[in-house]
């Protein structure tokens, strides 16, 4: 008996002539995620992908946990792959289902017979397997309406598969199928969730973080590394560029009206991020902004921010309540890191009364006091690069 992972593809099954490219990318991402556990073989059949370990003693529990974080998968299950005969199925079922059945008192079997030439029909397969399990485990009873455990027997083209309930996958599309984008990452709750959501739609991530020492501490930057590592456990390797931002913020404070400080800062951040995005062959920017959440995220403020860049800006949280974002942050494991008390540069020199309904003209006038090209060139020239891998 060989144990494999059966992987179901949700949205990928709706693709047309380009479906193969999505499947190939999914296999590459799975191979990357599973490679620390040894070599794996992948086999596609009937819209189901088999991940087959090539080494005895592979930690299948850890393998399943890693697969659960790979985008492009709707469901997965650990499964025994056995010979396509009732003799093989009945020989392996009691032993394979032992752990599942040890803690329950009722069960039912469900069978799927993709190979219609198989001599037994689905109800007959269920009856035979159910009988063998009742003989092996006398504490059990069959309950077809509300069983404590449901056991599945799938008869496919070459093998039969035995597994318990399918686990839900991460969904979305395989990372790398939608292109590359730059996410502006802070140490807060929102931007890591925005990064996760856009990776789930197939984008490969490059991150840009703005550091302002001594106003921000090394721990604030370490916090960003930790957050990106948590996102990378889903999204794969993330390239992080840390931009020195102290001089820019000091010049804004010295030369620009206080009520426009945050907006001028955001516009310069967008310009810097776009410069890095173009250099790294990325096609869009991603932010964690939500409409109306703070003064710099009003309709007018967002329009003024977008006006300084030419590439698309994705804001996956734009219509979400903070409570919704927190729920997602907890789900993906970034929340506890995000609330660590190490402030990022967005909290430096915060205006007492920020303008909420700015017009582009007033921001352009304020920025005229700055040597923007020089400041941006110096900042981008001083970036530090870090490759961030998943935990």
């Amino acid at each position: 008996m060989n144990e494999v992972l059966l992987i179901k593809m949700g949205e990928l099954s709706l693709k047309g002539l380009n479906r193969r490219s999505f499947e190939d990318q999914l296999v590459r991402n799975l191979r990357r995620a599973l490679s620390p556990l040894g070599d794996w073989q992948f086999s596609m059949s009937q819209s189901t992908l088999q991940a087959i370990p090539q080494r005895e003693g592979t930690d299948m529990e850890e393998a399943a946990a890693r697969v659960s974080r790979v985008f492009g998968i709707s469901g997965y299950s650990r499964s025994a792959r056995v010979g396509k005969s009732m003799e093989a199925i009945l020989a392996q079922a009691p032993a394979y289902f032992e752990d599942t059945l040890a803690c329950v008192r009722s069960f039912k079997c469900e069978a799927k017979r993709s190979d219609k030439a198989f001599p037994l029909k689905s109800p007959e397969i269920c009856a035979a397997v159910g009988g063998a399990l009742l003989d092996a485990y006398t504490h059990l009873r069959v309950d077809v309406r509300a069983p404590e455990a449901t056991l599945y027997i799938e008869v496919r083209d070459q093998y039969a598969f035995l597994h318990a309930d399918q686990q839900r996958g991460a969904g979305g599309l395989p990372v790398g199928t939608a292109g590359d984008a730059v996410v502006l990452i802070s140490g807060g709750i929102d931007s890591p969730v925005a990064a996760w959501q856009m990776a789930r739609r197939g984008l490969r991530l490059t991150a840009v973080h703005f550091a302002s020492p001594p106003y921000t501490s090394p721990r604030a930057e370490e916090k960003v590394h930790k957050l990106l590592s948590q996102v990378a456990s889903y999204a794969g390797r993330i390239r992080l560029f840390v931009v020195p931002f102290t001089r820019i913020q000091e010049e804004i404070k010295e030369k620009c009206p206080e009520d426009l400080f945050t907006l001028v800062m955001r516009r310069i951040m967008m310009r810097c991020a776009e410069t890095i995005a173009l250099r790294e062959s990325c096609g869009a920017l991603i932010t964690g902004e939500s409409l109306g959440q703070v003064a710099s995220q009003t309709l007018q403020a967002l329009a003024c921010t977008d006006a300084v860049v030419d590439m698309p800006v994705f804001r996956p949280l734009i219509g979400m309540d903070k409570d919704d974002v927190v729920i997602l942050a907890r789900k993906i494991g970034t929340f506890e890191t995000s609330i660590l008390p190490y402030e990022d540069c967005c909290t430096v020199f915060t205006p007492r009364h920020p303008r909420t309904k700015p017009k582009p003209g007033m921001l352009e006038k304020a920025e005229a006091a700055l040597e923007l090209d020089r400041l941006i060139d110096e900042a981008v020239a001083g970036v530090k690069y870090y490759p961030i891998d998943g935990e």
Side-chain angles (χ1 to χ4, degrees):
M1 176 183 68
N2 296 320
E3 191 171 33
V4 303
L5 293 172
L6 285 184
I7 297 168
K8 302 292 178 70
M9 297 169 290
E11 195 171 340
L12 268 66
S13 63
L14 304 177
K15 298 298 178 182
L17 297 177
N18 62 344
R19 175 174 170 175
R20 180 61 182 272
S21 64
F22 284 82
E23 293 174 347
D24 290 346
Q25 185 64 54
L26 176 60
V27 169
R28 286 193 289 271
N29 295 347
L30 282 166
R31 196 180 299 280
R32 169 193 53 77
L34 293 172
S35 61
L37 304 179
D39 293 332
W40 292 74
Q41 178 183 339
F42 297 91
S43 175
M44 182 75 67
S45 176
Q46 298 170 320
S47 297
T48 300
L49 183 64
Q50 294 179 49
I52 308 161
Q54 301 298 289
R55 184 176 65 189
E56 289 188 13
T58 297
D59 186 344
M60 294 301 287
E61 184 175 354
E62 174 63 19
R66 288 172 175 267
V67 166
S68 74
R69 297 189 292 268
V70 176
F71 292 131
I73 295 171
S74 64
Y76 64 94
S77 55
R78 291 172 61 176
S79 176
R81 187 179 70 172
V82 303
K84 196 175 69 173
S85 69
M86 283 309 302
E87 290 78 7
I89 293 170
L90 295 175
Q92 299 293 342
Y96 187 69
F97 289 130
E98 180 179 7
D99 290 345
T100 301
L101 296 175
C103 301
V104 302
R105 301 194 64 83
S106 64
F107 77 101
K108 74 171 182 178
C109 293
E110 290 191 5
K112 180 179 179 181
R113 188 177 59 118
S114 300
D115 181 1
K116 302 306 180 185
F118 194 74
L120 273 66
K121 295 182 179 179
S122 294
E124 297 169 323
I125 296 171
C126 290
V129 174
L133 295 176
L134 289 172
D135 289 341
Y137 303 103
T138 56
H139 71 284
L140 291 176
R141 62 183 176 84
V142 173
D143 185 344
V144 297
R145 294 190 176 182
E148 294 179 61
T150 301
L151 311 176
Y152 298 87
I153 306 98
E154 298 188 33
V155 179
R156 293 178 169 268
D157 49 358
Q158 292 181 303
Y159 298 96
F161 298 88
L162 313 174
H163 62 89
D165 287 333
Q166 178 175 276
Q167 303 299 307
R168 187 172 182 178
L173 297 172
V175 171
T177 57
D180 297 77
V182 161
V183 57
L184 283 75
I185 188 84
S186 70
I189 296 171
D190 299 331
S191 55
V193 175
W196 180 88
Q197 285 194 302
M198 295 313 301
R200 191 170 185 256
R201 297 312 304 160
L203 283 174
R204 187 181 293 109
L205 300 176
T206 294
V208 171
H209 174 67
F210 297 89
S212 293
Y215 307 108
T216 59
S217 72
R219 288 195 172 185
E221 187 175 324
E222 292 170 8
K223 178 180 173 182
V224 168
H225 283 245
K226 174 72 171 176
L227 287 169
L228 287 175
S229 180
Q230 290 164 323
V231 175
S233 67
Y234 292 88
R237 172 170 286 188
I238 298 173
R239 298 173 297 170
L240 169 63
F241 294 90
V242 178
V243 180
F245 211 60
T246 306
R247 183 59 186 157
I248 290 175
Q249 288 192 290
E250 289 176 340
E251 291 221 8
I252 294 172
K253 182 177 184 294
E254 179 184 343
K255 298 178 181 179
C256 295
E258 183 187 358
D259 63 335
L260 297 179
F261 171 81
T262 300
L263 291 170
V264 172
M265 179 190 72
R266 290 294 296 172
R267 281 161 62 98
I268 295 177
M269 285 180 170
M270 296 293 277
R271 290 181 174 104
C272 290
E274 185 180 48
T275 300
I276 294 171
L278 291 170
R279 190 182 70 187
E280 299 299 317
S281 300
C282 296
L285 302 178
I286 303 166
T287 77
E289 293 161 311
S290 174
L291 186 62
Q293 185 175 141
V294 295
S296 63
Q297 296 174 19
T298 64
L299 182 63
Q300 295 88 342
L302 293 175
C304 289
T305 302
D306 285 359
V308 300
V309 295
D310 293 324
M311 61 176 51
V313 180
F314 296 143
R315 294 184 171 94
L317 312 186
I318 194 68
M320 296 179 66
D321 292 337
K322 193 69 173 187
D323 288 345
D324 299 327
V325 179
V326 168
I327 289 170
L328 261 179
R330 290 186 185 277
K331 173 184 174 181
I332 66 177
T334 57
F335 179 75
E336 296 299 331
T337 304
S338 290
I339 62 174
L340 292 174
Y342 310 127
E343 295 183 336
D344 58 57
C345 71
C346 294
T347 62
V348 177
F349 308 142
T350 303
R352 290 166 294 180
H353 303 290
R355 188 174 290 270
T356 58
K357 296 182 179 180
K359 295 181 180 180
M362 64 178 62
L363 288 163
E364 291 165 4
K365 181 178 179 181
E367 290 169 349
L370 305 171
E371 295 181 57
L372 281 178
D373 291 342
R374 176 184 62 82
L375 289 171
I376 292 170
D377 288 346
E378 289 177 355
V380 172
V383 299
K384 295 180 180 178
Y385 167 72
Y386 305 90
I388 306 293
D389 291 309
E391 295 185 327

